[in-house]
Amino acid sequence: MPPGPQRAFSDTSPSVRPAWLTILRRGTDAVLYSSTLVALAATGLTWATFLFWRHPIPFRLVALIFAATLFLYNIDSVLPYKYRQQAVLSARKRWIIRHRRALLGLALGSLAVAGVLFWTDGWRPLTLFLGHLAAISLLYSMPLVRRHGRWRALRDLPLLKIFLIAYVWSAITVWVPALYLGKALGEPEVLVLFARRFFFILNLALVFDIRDYTKDRLSGTRTFPGLFGLRATKLLGLAFLAVSALLVPPGVSAHHLLVLTVPTLLAGAIIWYADETRPDYYFALLADGLLLVQFGVAYWVA
């Protein structure tokens, strides 16, 4: 069996591991498993949308997106019922369990920051719109109904997981900038960019379905890898990427489009080589980090 997550850096035992390597690993774990990288990725994708439309992103919106993402992901990770259903404990899950109180504090602090920014920056007219995205995010993993002796959440509906994730991420990173800039959500440039982002995120969501293959199977959650197998799932992910690449927003130059293919090619490689036995860093660093690559590409060509 390939090395597990605990061997992500080296086989050096903790007693002889250099101090700098221990510090590096602990720092990396903290950034990845506290969802800080995910929050940076959400902020980066939102910023990339502003760059595409050639508008500066306001700092307070950066802070709002970052804080709201940090809250939603960390409050999800500390839900009490999750600790009663862990059949497979990865290095990531063990880290989260050890730092559960700190993550709860981080989530509550992030909620306070997001709440102040939401209230003071004029977002209240969009309470229903933003509220439905928050509701989907909160109910994604929260137990809603008990069926056959198990609590079920939105993510447990067959094959729904990836579409919920792609919808929320696309709405936050495309529709929120559009609304801020006064663009109608039905405008062609908004619709095409939303669809392009949606299919790109669908591929990455399948990567995490592959990571959670055994856990989802044991918990009874029916996902694409569980129902159709890993190879079919990877081919589906590549198909999603192909659709995303074909959805070219109006006004994109040939040079811009060529550079935008870089994240697409990287995403294809990540899903093709994805396997649940790979270290947690493969998913937390490469898959989530790819979203920052998209921002870097958008910043470079802007």
Side-chain angles (χ1 to χ4, degrees), residues 21-223:
L21 187 57
T22 299
I23 294 172
L24 176 61
R25 180 168 183 171
R26 288 177 177 174
T28 303
D29 288 348
V31 170
L32 298 182
Y33 303 151
S34 68
S35 298
T36 300
L37 182 62
V38 173
L40 288 172
T43 306
L45 278 185
T46 306
W47 194 341
T49 301
F50 276 89
L51 289 170
F52 177 77
W53 287 328
R54 302 186 183 283
H55 284 276
I57 186 172
F59 172 77
R60 291 174 68 90
L61 181 57
V62 168
L64 175 60
I65 298 295
F66 181 83
T69 306
L70 208 56
F71 162 70
L72 290 170
Y73 271 80
N74 280 299
I75 202 65
D76 175 81
S77 68
V78 299
L79 288 174
Y81 89 100
K82 282 195 163 187
Y83 296 87
R84 298 191 296 268
Q85 66 169 202
Q86 291 301 330
V88 179
L89 284 178
S90 63
R92 177 176 63 92
K93 285 297 182 183
R94 290 194 297 271
W95 189 94
I96 289 173
I97 291 172
R98 289 197 305 270
H99 298 86
R100 185 180 176 189
R101 289 186 178 180
L103 293 177
L104 178 59
L106 180 60
L108 295 178
S110 301
L111 176 61
V113 172
V116 169
L117 292 171
F118 175 86
W119 188 261
T120 58
D121 285 5
W123 291 99
R124 279 173 287 175
L126 297 176
T127 297
L128 288 178
F129 170 76
L130 296 175
H132 94 280
L133 298 177
I136 292 173
S137 301
L138 290 171
L139 298 177
Y140 172 79
S141 295
M142 191 171 294
L144 297 176
V145 296
R146 190 175 178 86
R147 186 179 180 188
H148 303 307
R150 290 179 178 269
W151 284 100
R152 302 292 180 179
L154 284 179
R155 71 190 300 276
D156 294 316
L157 294 175
L159 305 181
L160 188 62
K161 282 176 59 179
I162 64 169
F163 297 102
L164 291 174
I165 294 170
Y167 172 71
V168 171
W169 272 77
S170 301
I172 292 295
T173 62
V174 177
W175 281 350
V176 168
L179 292 170
Y180 184 90
L181 296 173
K183 296 179 179 290
L185 301 187
E187 289 184 22
E189 63 176 355
V190 177
L191 286 175
V192 175
L193 187 57
F194 178 90
R196 181 183 178 91
R197 186 73 49 78
F198 181 83
F199 281 99
F200 186 86
I201 297 296
L202 277 179
N203 168 75
L204 291 183
L206 284 176
V207 172
F208 289 97
D209 269 1
I210 293 172
R211 180 196 68 181
D212 296 335
Y213 173 75
T214 297
K215 180 175 73 68
D216 286 336
R217 182 170 55 84
L218 293 175
S219 65
T221 301
R222 287 178 283 180
T223 62

